[in-house]
Amino acid sequence: MTDLTLFNSLTRTQEPFVPVHAGEARVYTCGPTVYNYPHIGNMRAYVFADVLGRTLSYKGYKLTHIINITDVGHLTDDADAGEDKMEKMAAEKAQSIWDIAQHYTQAYWADVKALNIRQPAKWSVATDYIDEMLEFAKSIADKHCYELESGLYFDVSTVEDYGRLARAVTEDGEGRIDAVDGKRNPQDFAIWRKTPAGEKRQMEWDSPWGRGAPGWHLECSVMGEKLLGFPFDIHTGGIDHREIHHPNEIAQNQAFCGCGGLSEAQNSGARVWMHNNFLVERSGKMSKSSGEFLRLQLLIDKGFHPLAYRMMCLQAHYRSELEFSWEGLEAALTRLKRMVMAAERLADAPSQPVAEHPKFAAILDKFDNAISDDLGTPIALTALEEALAVKKVDAGIKRAVVEHINSVLGLGLFDLTRAALRIRPKAATTTEDEIEDALARRKAARAEKDFATSDAIRDELVAKGVDVMDGDPLGWEWKLS
Ligand code: AMP
Ligand code: ZN
């Protein structure tokens, strides 16, 4: 096997993966803020983290993966401006924050399952760690923080190399940070936000700095430290986190462990920081407020199997921007269908360990090189297709190779069937039974050379939005248009 190399955002170079604890890999992924449904762009971040986790397992490391659930502290702006996203949604919906968090956490987990994202070792929920956050904050408060009326602030000039991860003390970067009266440096951020006098928040706790709530950055520092220990191996998130959230987490971590500068990456709390690029819409950034909100459920409602979206993600390298389009999703679904059809032919072959076999050696090498090269899923997918296309070979051996590659890509090839990939669009007015019945009548008419009847049945189906697909290369007889 080739050594695994990963692109480290902190050093901006691709580096060999060297675990902190021999034989282990400890990974922390910034999870969702559960104030709304995740959009499919958010889910790209978890498909990426899942491929990373599966790759580490495939390389033989004992994986401990943590994904957090942010149910407090994330403001409508990543810097210190705006309201708490959870409080805002709860007020809009006139519901308790706990109900909002519960509802959207369940919705997120449904997407996780539908996309074949493996369960992490633990989902850590931010509000379960308030005591630990207070302890962490107390331990750094004297040396690194100062109090203002609105809360306890972290002074970024007290740690070395603040902001190295973002590489951007540009005017743009600073422009995004709202001025708070009394801040010592524009980038200073709240680690505890006091509830303004006379107000009551749904989520608030007592602290040495008054009643209030933790800052979002504090949560991830604390859960990472508690659950994985500093330094752990890899911290992941979307590329937006490279600018504010993660530099702030890093500053807190340096303060907590009394560490020096960031030319030693592990002083940041993790050895490697990895970021997936964005899924974008043609019109620009993906958003939860504009027009048709792209949730996974919308894709399913339109008749796309959710794993077609996983396929779409794998077709791009995680560090490249990916543009969403319905045509692209259709193409990804077709590619998945072809793979599932080829895998169906191996369904009865007994599973066995991957054996050395001349017909597969080059393919397995290609796969291993691709995935070891900073998770090169686009090339890994072609290796999977090549394995499925090998002819005149024992089906059991072929199945073993395909399963081996699929265990990293997570396309669930042996759990799917062609029929399962055909999802009924929500707007469809006819049932599968009715379609199958009409097609059987049409076949009978054709067998009797009664083309008038056969054409009439076809027209009837077209009127109901069903395309009849004579001679389809994938063997499909119909699809809903
Ligand atoms: P949030 O729930 O807003 O904290 O975001 C959850 C995750 O999705 C974070 O890791 C974000 O960086 C990531 N993310 C947000 N928007 C996108 C996008 N359009 N494409 C890919 N990742 C995204
Ligand atoms: Zn985080």
Side-chain angles (χ1 to χ4, degrees), residues 43-44 47 308-317 322 377:
M43 297 313 294
R44 185 182 187 200
V47 169
Y309 177 63
R310 183 175 175 109
M311 172 69 89
M312 194 176 187
C313 291
L314 299 180
Q315 290 182 153
H317 189 266
L322 171 60
T377 52

Side-chain angles (χ1 to χ4, degrees), residues 164-176:
R164 173 178 291 211
L165 182 68
R167 297 281 199 287
V169 191
T170 59
E171 278 169 24
D172 251 13
E174 293 208 8
R176 289 189 53 199

Side-chain angles (χ1 to χ4, degrees), residues 40-55:
I40 56 172
N42 298 132
M43 297 313 294
R44 185 182 187 200
Y46 308 109
V47 169
F48 148 64
D50 181 55
V51 171
L52 172 66
R54 286 169 179 266
T55 300

Side-chain angles (χ1 to χ4, degrees), residues 28-31 68 70 216-217 219-221 223 235-236 241 245-246 249:
Y28 184 95
T29 292
C30 280
N68 73 280
T70 295
W216 172 42
H217 318 301
E219 301 174 4
C220 285
S221 280
M223 292 186 279
H235 196 310
T236 82
H241 289 349
H245 181 45
H246 289 169
E249 253 189 85

Side-chain angles (χ1 to χ4, degrees), residues 308-309 311-312 315 327-337:
Y309 177 63
M311 172 69 89
M312 194 176 187
Q315 290 182 153
E327 302 77 47
L329 188 63
E330 184 87 49
L333 177 62
T334 301
R335 192 172 183 193
L336 180 62
K337 269 184 215 164

